Amino acid sequence: MDDIPLSVLFGLLGTLLVLSAFFSGSETALMTVNRYRLRHLAKSGHRGASLASRLLERPDRLIGVILLGNNLVNIGASAIATIIGMRLYGDAGIAIATGLLTLLVLIFSEVTPKTLAALHPERIAFPASFVYWPMLRLLYPLVWLINLIANAVLRLIGVTPEDAAMHSLSSEELRTVVAETGAMIPQRHQRMLLSILDLEKATVEDIMVPRNEIVGLDLSDPIETIVDELSRSQHTRLPLFDGSVEELKGVVHLRRVISAATEGRLTHDTLLSLAREPYYIPESTPLNQQLLNFQNQKRRIGFVVDEYGDIQGLVTLEDILEEIVGEFTTDPATRMKNVYLDADGTYLVDGSVTVRSLNRTMGWKLPLGSARTLNGLILEQLEDIPKPGTTLQLRQYVLEIAQTKANAVKMVRIRPPGNASPA
């Protein structure tokens, strides 16, 4: 070593520091690269992404080869720095070399490359994978031996390398990913994606049309009355019952019934023959599951029943789709049905509107409890049937009973926060 010129030693030391920076930076890049973008690029045929993805399937082996190379160059750099220090300053040069080398490694071989790799992982990870792939094959016996010992220690604490395969994102993690896409996905599409994820949190009971609002054809009515109802119907499919919804006979398609009516052969028996058997849905069925059920059963309408088999309401495929894309309405003054914006900034809301849909569509934060509709929420709070003009405050929302009907609140005027009412 005494015969090697100092210039050569300094050149060798600089090379080892560069290699140390490569190992440190590439380790950070490979560990922080977006695994899902990596998988997408690999499927698209990106060679670097494909190699990086294969390396990350077993991170214990990848880390083994990286640390093997990094430790070799760092130990080599330490030995050369010690020789240079002794030749320049004698025994004191050992301490000087140790201090200076620590500073150089920290700045140029650790902090700087790792920061760069954390900010631009793909620019470093993909080229590095072309280096690590042949290194891993070349040094595999040594890496295997090191991993064998390390993995044995990990198993003692209940960790196995096989657990390192890409884990699936949870629903909440996926929500965060969608919310952080920024301008990459239009805001409206973001809301739709988040609404799809929210389907599992709601049940058919949350969005069903209540039993008392179900519109259908009553077989106990004269055929002339039924024909008149058909001519004024806004629905494509109508429930068919005898006297009450509990005596449900089926569901008829308006197109088939109208055809029979125009030909003059519409009778009660004809209605029964054209009706399809009713489809029942347990009230606790999640919306995401019911969407699949509608698809599998080739249905578009179902009747929600409780644990006793009593009909509680009606839900359609359109109702579930509205949970994803929003209300199907052409009224620009409001964003959902049965909600009307008044000139003074208040909203006139039908009592049958669900609190959940109000909060989701209008961006409000009305309290959610056991009651599902606005009428139920008010009755739950007041524990009485209020009279028109009664006012109550829920959180920062002022609710004024505008109209009641029988034993229910029909219309409510809501004054949201920021639109203060007079004392």
Side-chain angles (χ1 to χ4, degrees), residues 108-244:
F108 297 105
S109 298
E110 292 292 336
V111 176
T112 301
K114 286 187 174 183
T115 302
L116 177 63
L119 295 175
H120 305 284
E122 292 182 8
R123 292 172 57 181
I124 297 176
F126 295 162
S129 62
F130 288 96
V131 177
Y132 287 131
W133 187 254
M135 277 185 63
L136 182 60
R137 302 178 73 88
L138 180 65
L139 301 174
Y140 185 77
L142 183 57
V143 173
W144 177 84
L145 179 61
I146 294 172
N147 288 152
L148 180 66
I149 300 172
N151 291 339
V153 176
L154 289 175
R155 286 190 177 90
L156 293 177
I157 58 176
V159 178
T160 60
E162 289 75 15
D163 295 335
M166 289 188 181
H167 298 287
S168 300
L169 286 175
S170 67
S171 177
E172 293 304 318
E173 290 170 337
L174 190 54
R175 287 179 60 88
T176 303
V177 171
V178 173
E180 292 183 353
T181 54
M184 296 179 64
I185 301 179
Q187 189 174 8
R188 184 170 184 271
H189 294 171
Q190 288 184 33
R191 289 197 298 268
M192 291 172 61
L193 291 171
L194 293 175
S195 296
I196 293 174
L197 296 176
D198 285 338
L199 288 182
E200 65 182 13
K201 298 181 179 180
T203 64
V204 292
E205 188 182 11
D206 294 321
I207 67 168
M208 70 180 183
V209 176
R211 171 179 166 172
N212 62 325
E213 295 184 17
I214 294 178
V215 177
L217 302 177
D218 190 349
L219 289 173
S220 63
D221 292 336
I223 197 66
E224 294 78 11
T225 303
I226 294 176
V227 171
D228 183 60
E229 291 176 354
L230 288 172
S231 64
R232 293 184 287 104
S233 175
Q234 299 179 355
H235 305 286
T236 306
R237 293 168 175 82
L238 290 171
L240 184 65
F241 51 85
D242 189 2
S244 68

Side-chain angles (χ1 to χ4, degrees), residues 360-375:
R360 183 175 59 86
T361 307
M362 305 299 293
W364 294 349
K365 295 181 179 180
L366 290 169
L368 292 172
S370 58
R372 301 189 181 276
T373 65
L374 185 59
N375 167 60

Side-chain angles (χ1 to χ4, degrees), residues 2-67:
D2 293 337
D3 298 332
I4 301 176
L6 283 174
S7 59
V8 175
L9 291 176
F10 275 113
L12 187 57
L13 179 61
T15 302
L16 292 175
L17 290 176
V18 171
L19 289 174
S20 178
F22 166 76
F23 285 119
S24 298
S26 58
E27 178 187 9
T28 300
L30 284 163
M31 293 301 128
T32 59
V33 68
N34 188 312
R35 304 297 178 90
Y36 297 94
R37 174 170 168 77
L38 183 66
R39 183 184 296 179
H40 167 71
L41 292 175
K43 289 181 179 179
S44 302
H46 193 289
R47 180 62 178 166
S50 179
L51 288 177
S53 181
R54 293 169 66 183
L55 287 169
L56 287 169
E57 289 178 359
R58 286 298 300 269
D60 57 327
R61 296 173 183 173
L62 175 60
I63 291 175
V65 73
I66 291 175
L67 294 182

Side-chain angles (χ1 to χ4, degrees), residues 204 207-209 234-239 250-255 276-281 287 290-304 313-322 328:
V204 292
I207 67 168
M208 70 180 183
V209 176
Q234 299 179 355
H235 305 286
T236 306
R237 293 168 175 82
L238 290 171
V251 178
V252 292
H253 197 290
L254 193 62
R255 183 177 65 248
R276 188 180 183 184
E277 70 278 3
Y279 172 52
Y280 297 104
I281 306 169
L287 293 184
Q290 187 53 46
L291 184 61
L292 296 176
N293 293 344
F294 273 140
Q295 185 179 25
N296 295 333
Q297 299 290 332
K298 300 188 183 305
R299 297 277 192 163
R300 301 176 70 92
I301 183 173
F303 298 89
V304 181
L314 177 148
V315 67
T316 66
L317 178 61
E318 180 187 77
D319 295 329
I320 300 180
L321 295 179
E322 285 183 345
F328 298 147

